[in-house]
Amino acid sequence: MSGHSQEGAAFPWILEHILSYPGSYEIPLRTMYTLNSSPRAQPPLNYASRPESPPRFGNATIQNIPTNSSKSPRAMSPTSMTAPTELQHAATNAATMQFKTSLMTQISQLPTQPCSLPPSFLTSFVRRCFPAELTLVDFPQALTGVDYLRDLEMRRRKEIAAALRRLGVDRANLSAHGQPMLDDWVKSLEDKERKVEALYTQCYIGLRRWILINEMSLLPFNKSNCLAMLNTLYPPSHTSQPTPQLTVGILNSQRNGFFRYIQGVEKNGPRILENLVQQGRRIERGEEDGWSCVRECVENHLRAANAMIDECSAITGIESLLPIDEREDRRRKGRKVDSGVSFVTDDRPSTSNSTTTSTNSKGEPISPTSAFPGKSGSTLERIAREIRKMRERKRIEEGQKRDEKSRAKLVKKMKSSNTLSDYRDRI
């Protein structure tokens, strides 16, 4: 199969992925980094000037495609301008086609159906990827860890929206609803959500800072990989804000600041990263760097997000907001007592031969049916009582049969003795 036919075959897969979540479709960071770091077509001309901002193409970097020429256009003749312009366009088109092919290949390898991993797995992976010790951090899996942390945050938001729907609360209007219990819960939910969003904002900035610190500290220094990582973590364009606190201006300032650090490391080496490493360090705790602060934010976010997911998942209606004791009381009061099936019959056998008799307070005998006037108890208790009654009737019937047999034997014996006495009298 030719390259063009393979590219065309991948189009339906890409379309299905994009249509699955049209409002929030995002390529995983690992896939985006692979696209950003893929080799690009190199321009044939050597330009002396260096771009002032990281080159980019969409969300991916096009490496080594300069934007300015070392010569002024006025100093060049029309004939000398033609060849460089055409070559530059050809190089740009080649890089664009190569990026398009890489994008097709990467997205076609993703699963066709988006899956939602359980929160317990996401939490466990993030904790293993970002342990408390900086030397044990799994930076090769860091992009996946950041993706999973985002998935957990999205799951939390979906569970909150689902719980509000089950309670009949409009997400756009969380004002008073006339029910004190519901209003108190909504207010508590808003407070928890603000805290979790603040924690996720700190995790978003902190984890990306340390991933870029690690990438810029690797030896030998690779500027292309650093720019690819920068474009992966802070894309040139933002379709939405990760949190209300992370505005487009803040994200762009982070991107520009790290680009200047990449240029500085290229000139002066990794020693200029010391300020980044010490950012967030708590001297009073004797910390050597700022990683412990970031790790603490990650752990707090994991706990808070999982607690909110569990709380919202347990809500099925307004009754779920009641205290546990009150819910149990209502459940016991609303429990059905009668199953609709009665085992009591009117043609009960006589219990005159039974060995025990029940009496009331006046000393009068009472029947077994009147011993349980309210028919209280659970279904199993009623069934057990009926089984005991059936066994009692069976014992009575067996006793009656034994009495009849003994009487028959006695009559027969009396008849035989009378016959013998008559015979003797004749003799």
Side-chain angles (χ1 to χ4, degrees):
M1 184 179 293
S2 63
H4 181 73
S5 60
Q6 290 178 354
E7 178 181 318
F11 268 113
W13 301 88
I14 298 173
L15 181 62
E16 182 178 356
H17 270 276
I18 296 176
L19 293 180
S20 298
Y21 292 98
S24 61
Y25 180 78
E26 291 189 12
I27 300 176
L29 293 180
R30 179 180 288 274
T31 302
M32 200 68 245
Y33 176 73
T34 303
L35 294 173
N36 286 330
S37 58
S38 60
R40 311 294 180 194
Q42 302 297 329
L45 296 180
N46 183 16
Y47 295 91
S49 63
R50 179 179 298 169
E52 298 179 357
S53 61
R56 58 196 185 183
F57 177 80
N59 281 350
T61 304
I62 298 182
Q63 307 292 348
N64 299 328
I65 297 183
T67 56
N68 301 322
S69 174
S70 59
K71 296 182 180 181
S72 173
R74 295 180 180 178
M76 301 175 61
S77 63
T79 56
S80 62
M81 287 179 58
T82 304
T85 303
E86 292 179 353
L87 291 175
Q88 185 175 2
H89 284 312
T92 304
N93 292 335
T96 303
M97 292 302 297
Q98 190 168 2
F99 171 80
K100 182 179 178 182
T101 303
S102 300
L103 180 64
M104 296 279 192
T105 304
Q106 290 294 324
I107 297 184
S108 63
Q109 293 174 357
L110 295 175
T112 57
Q113 296 294 333
C115 59
S116 179
L117 295 172
S120 58
F121 176 82
L122 299 175
T123 303
S124 176
F125 186 92
V126 172
R127 283 174 174 162
R128 290 198 310 269
C129 186
F130 303 116
E133 295 292 334
L134 179 60
T135 56
L136 301 178
V137 175
D138 190 1
F139 281 106
Q141 295 290 334
L143 293 179
T144 303
V146 171
D147 270 333
Y148 282 178
L149 190 65
R150 177 186 177 276
D151 292 344
L152 183 67
E153 177 66 11
M154 295 298 105
R155 175 66 178 270
R156 181 192 66 82
R157 297 177 186 179
K158 290 179 182 178
E159 291 294 341
I160 290 177
L164 292 175
R165 283 196 304 269
R166 290 192 291 268
L167 293 172
V169 178
D170 186 8
R171 179 69 171 175
N173 183 18
L174 295 178
S175 57
H177 299 84
Q179 303 183 44
M181 181 174 55
L182 180 58
D183 294 338
D184 293 342
W185 184 81
V186 171
K187 183 178 180 181
S188 173
L189 179 70
E190 290 179 322
D191 294 339
K192 294 177 182 177
E193 192 166 18
R194 280 193 293 267
K195 294 178 182 178
V196 175
E197 286 180 349
L199 288 171
Y200 182 70
T201 300
Q202 297 177 30
C203 295
Y204 188 97
I205 297 294
L207 290 178
R208 280 164 169 76
R209 179 173 71 248
W210 278 99
I211 293 174
L212 285 169
I213 290 174
N214 176 76
E215 190 68 32
M216 290 185 287
S217 300
L218 296 178
L219 297 176
F221 175 76
N222 191 321
K223 184 179 180 181
S224 298
N225 290 344
C226 292
L227 291 175
M229 186 64 74
L230 175 63
N231 283 279
T232 299
L233 298 175
Y234 290 102
S237 60
H238 306 278
T239 57
S240 61
Q241 296 180 205
T243 65
Q245 295 82 6
L246 290 174
T247 62
V248 175
I250 293 177
L251 295 174
N252 288 334
S253 66
Q254 290 285 322
R255 171 183 168 83
N256 296 333
F258 281 111
F259 177 67
R260 288 192 294 269
Y261 268 107
I262 292 173
Q263 290 180 320
V265 173
E266 183 184 20
K267 293 180 179 179
N268 306 314
R271 67 176 182 272
I272 68 170
L273 299 175
E274 187 63 23
N275 291 335
L276 285 178
V277 173
Q278 298 296 325
Q279 186 173 344
R281 174 192 174 192
R282 292 168 293 193
I283 304 177
E284 65 278 4
R285 297 189 182 184
E287 297 174 353
E288 298 180 357
D289 47 54
W291 170 251
S292 297
C293 182
V294 175
R295 178 60 178 80
E296 186 175 316
C297 290
V298 172
E299 182 62 28
N300 292 338
H301 176 267
L302 293 176
R303 293 179 180 178
N306 279 281
M308 293 190 69
I309 290 173
D310 295 338
E311 178 183 358
C312 293
S313 300
I315 292 177
T316 57
I318 191 67
E319 298 82 6
S320 303
L321 304 180
L322 295 171
I324 298 178
D325 296 340
E326 190 172 347
R327 270 184 283 169
E328 292 295 333
D329 292 341
R330 289 195 177 188
R331 189 177 293 110
R332 283 195 295 267
K333 292 179 180 179
R335 182 183 296 164
K336 293 183 179 180
V337 177
D338 193 359
S339 63
V341 179
S342 177
F343 294 95
V344 181
T345 57
D346 295 333
D347 52 345
R348 292 173 56 82
S350 175
T351 58
S352 57
N353 295 333
S354 61
T355 57
T356 59
T357 355
S358 300
T359 58
N360 56 14
S361 59
K362 298 180 180 180
E364 299 175 354
I366 58 175
S367 62
T369 55
S370 63
F372 307 97
K375 295 183 182 180
S376 60
S378 64
T379 304
L380 292 177
E381 292 174 352
R382 293 198 305 275
I383 293 175
R385 286 199 298 268
E386 295 300 330
I387 291 176
R388 286 197 297 269
K389 294 175 184 178
M390 294 171 62
R391 290 178 179 174
E392 186 68 24
R393 288 198 296 268
K394 187 175 181 181
R395 285 197 298 269
I396 293 173
E397 291 175 357
E398 291 178 353
Q400 290 177 349
K401 288 181 181 179
R402 284 196 300 269
D403 292 343
E404 291 176 358
K405 287 182 180 179
S406 61
R407 284 197 297 269
K409 288 181 181 180
L410 181 60
V411 171
K412 186 177 180 181
K413 186 175 182 180
M414 291 174 62
K415 287 182 179 181
S416 63
S417 61
N418 291 335
T419 303
L420 290 174
S421 60
D422 292 342
Y423 178 73
R424 288 172 183 170
D425 292 339
R426 291 174 186 175
I427 295 175

